[in-house]
Amino acid sequence: CLWTLAAILKETLKDALVARAGVLKKLLAPLDAVLEGFYNAILLHHFDSHHYTSPYSEATNNLISFIDLLEALLVSRIELELPLRCQRILFLKVSYVLNVISSSVPYVIKKKFILLLKKCVLYKSREDAKGGSLFLQTSSLCEDMLALSNVVLQVVNLTWLNQIPLSGKSSYFGSSETAPGHDSQGASDQTVLRALGLVVLKALEFKIHNSATEAEIK
């Protein structure tokens, strides 16, 4: 079901001949509350269970399908003037994703979620995409980006980054621990490292641009 819904969304976005906004509303509006409930139920799951120990398990594959759906919902957001809750949930409840990333799920899940967060912080509204504006025009997107930035900066200010692996086996962000027999310089996943750095920098940038007082910026 997750895969099918994601596939329909992707195909709809590719079709230049249909009124995409109307089709997306018709498809997603009845599922809005269902998808938010799904998001809560899936991402609040106890991921330290034995079902998630293997990157090839059914549970892991289901979670990958859900990440693909979240990505399709993010991409489809640009088509609607007022995005639905299911298209905003990734921003408004990003703490669920951050918790999954620091849990014991397989590395492939952590990496997919980190790259999805990168897409969130690089997301542009239709106005930005057309005009290349540096400022977010849409109030809901501005609100969502601020919510995401606040949560990311809160966890980064704690020890969250220290729990994030930078490869399937070895080194961790902020430490020099490497797997036995591995070259310490070649052990890190540079894609994940760059994505994490970008997420933190973009959150910081957005927070600074939207802070009311100098004290808050400091």
Side-chain angles (χ1 to χ4, degrees):
C1 289
L2 292 170
W3 183 91
T4 303
L5 184 54
I8 292 169
L9 278 172
K10 289 173 186 174
E11 288 304 313
T12 303
L13 292 169
K14 284 180 191 173
D15 194 343
L17 300 175
V18 299
R20 289 191 290 256
V23 173
L24 288 169
K25 249 183 190 169
K26 195 172 181 179
L27 174 67
L28 294 175
L31 296 172
D32 203 20
V34 176
L35 288 172
E36 182 174 1
F38 228 50
Y39 183 93
N40 296 342
I42 290 177
L43 298 189
L44 277 179
H45 189 73
H46 186 64
F47 287 105
D48 296 326
S49 73
H50 67 279
H51 296 296
Y52 293 91
T53 52
S54 167
Y56 309 107
S57 69
E58 185 182 357
T60 300
N61 283 332
N62 289 341
L63 196 49
I64 288 172
S65 292
F66 188 58
I67 296 170
D68 291 340
L69 175 58
L70 289 175
E71 185 175 350
L73 288 169
L74 175 67
V75 174
S76 71
R77 176 183 177 138
I78 199 170
E79 299 295 334
L80 301 183
E81 284 184 26
L82 285 172
L84 297 166
R85 178 83 178 176
C86 63
Q87 295 171 306
R88 302 179 63 192
I89 195 74
L90 198 52
F91 294 86
L92 300 177
K93 293 187 176 180
V94 70
S95 59
Y96 292 24
V97 170
L98 299 176
N99 287 337
V100 174
I101 293 171
S102 60
S103 74
S104 61
V105 292
Y107 181 73
V108 63
I109 299 289
K110 296 174 188 274
K111 183 169 182 173
K112 281 184 76 72
F113 265 130
I114 289 167
L115 295 178
L116 184 57
L117 285 180
K118 175 186 163 186
K119 289 182 179 178
C120 286
V121 299
L122 293 177
Y123 183 82
K124 284 182 165 65
S125 67
R126 185 185 289 276
E127 290 84 354
D128 287 335
K130 283 181 179 175
S133 168
L134 293 174
F135 301 100
L136 295 164
Q137 308 292 330
T138 312
S139 59
S140 64
L141 183 55
C142 188
E143 181 187 327
D144 293 355
M145 283 296 294
L146 194 56
L148 182 144
S149 299
N150 283 334
V151 174
V152 166
L153 292 175
Q154 282 169 17
V155 299
V156 166
N157 204 32
L158 300 171
T159 59
W160 183 79
L161 280 177
N162 295 335
Q163 302 169 52
I164 311 305
L166 287 181
S167 81
K169 298 177 182 177
S170 50
S171 60
Y172 279 73
F173 200 106
S175 82
S176 57
E177 179 190 351
T178 55
H182 281 65
D183 172 49
S184 59
Q185 289 186 329
S188 298
D189 185 332
Q190 297 301 304
T191 303
V192 168
L193 183 58
R194 285 193 297 270
L196 275 172
L198 187 63
V199 168
V200 175
L201 287 171
K202 282 290 184 182
L204 194 58
E205 178 189 37
F206 191 80
K207 180 67 176 170
I208 287 171
H209 282 310
N210 290 274
S211 294
T213 65
E214 191 177 341
E216 196 177 7
I217 291 172
K218 284 182 179 177

